[in-house]
Amino acid sequence: MAATSLQNYTLVITGAPYSSQAPQTALLFARAAIAAGHTVDRVFLYGDGVHLASALCAPPSDETHWASEWAGFLKNNAIPGVACIASALRRGLVNEAERKRYELPASNLLEPFIIAGLGEWVEATVASSRVLYFHAGD
């Protein structure tokens, strides 16, 4: 029997929760990968995927709160969650530093997510054995 090589994944989510299945599918994959002994280097949110890092999401009580699910998974597994700064600012997602910089009335980034530039994505592509994209369906 051939030995299974363990992988180190970076996940890129470009689809928003509640308008695509991208965050849900990515979370199912990430949980299965961790359970199989693989690692997830980081989760990078890009485009509409940054909505996953909003602390202001409040779905009905009978729906899954995908932002909370992701935040818990990232915390429990010590995996960085990174929202692209350009995508985040365009969509009204800001951390405390950007709130001050743009003199906005509030910040709304959900912990443990951070906001960073595409350099984080480039670094992840170098560090990971696989980069998987979870896009919104057309």
Side-chain angles (χ1 to χ4, degrees):
M1 180 180 284
T4 303
S5 64
L6 295 178
Q7 302 290 318
N8 181 23
Y9 295 101
T10 288
L11 309 183
V12 180
I13 302 172
T14 65
Y18 311 108
S19 64
S20 81
Q21 292 294 310
Q24 297 91 317
T25 304
L27 185 57
L28 291 173
F29 174 84
R31 286 177 174 158
I34 296 293
H38 302 288
T39 57
V40 176
D41 181 67
R42 75 194 76 194
V43 176
F44 193 78
L45 308 178
Y46 185 76
D48 286 339
V50 301
H51 290 295
L52 189 57
S54 175
L56 297 179
C57 178
S61 61
D62 63 339
E63 291 183 15
T64 302
H65 193 300
W66 291 110
S68 291
E69 289 289 319
W70 264 108
F73 174 79
L74 294 172
K75 286 178 187 175
N76 291 340
N77 293 285
I79 298 168
V82 181
C84 170
I85 190 166
S87 295
L89 291 175
R90 282 188 194 103
R91 291 163 178 83
L93 182 73
V94 295
N95 60 8
E96 189 60 23
E98 298 304 318
R99 182 200 68 77
K100 289 177 182 175
R101 178 178 178 197
Y102 292 102
E103 300 177 0
L104 298 171
S107 60
N108 61 334
L109 184 69
L110 179 65
E111 290 185 8
F113 291 99
I114 64 167
I115 291 179
L118 286 176
E120 282 279 332
W121 174 80
V122 171
E123 182 181 311
T125 62
V126 172
S128 299
S129 51
R130 299 275 188 266
V131 178
L132 301 176
Y133 292 83
F134 295 86
H135 299 292
D138 293 328

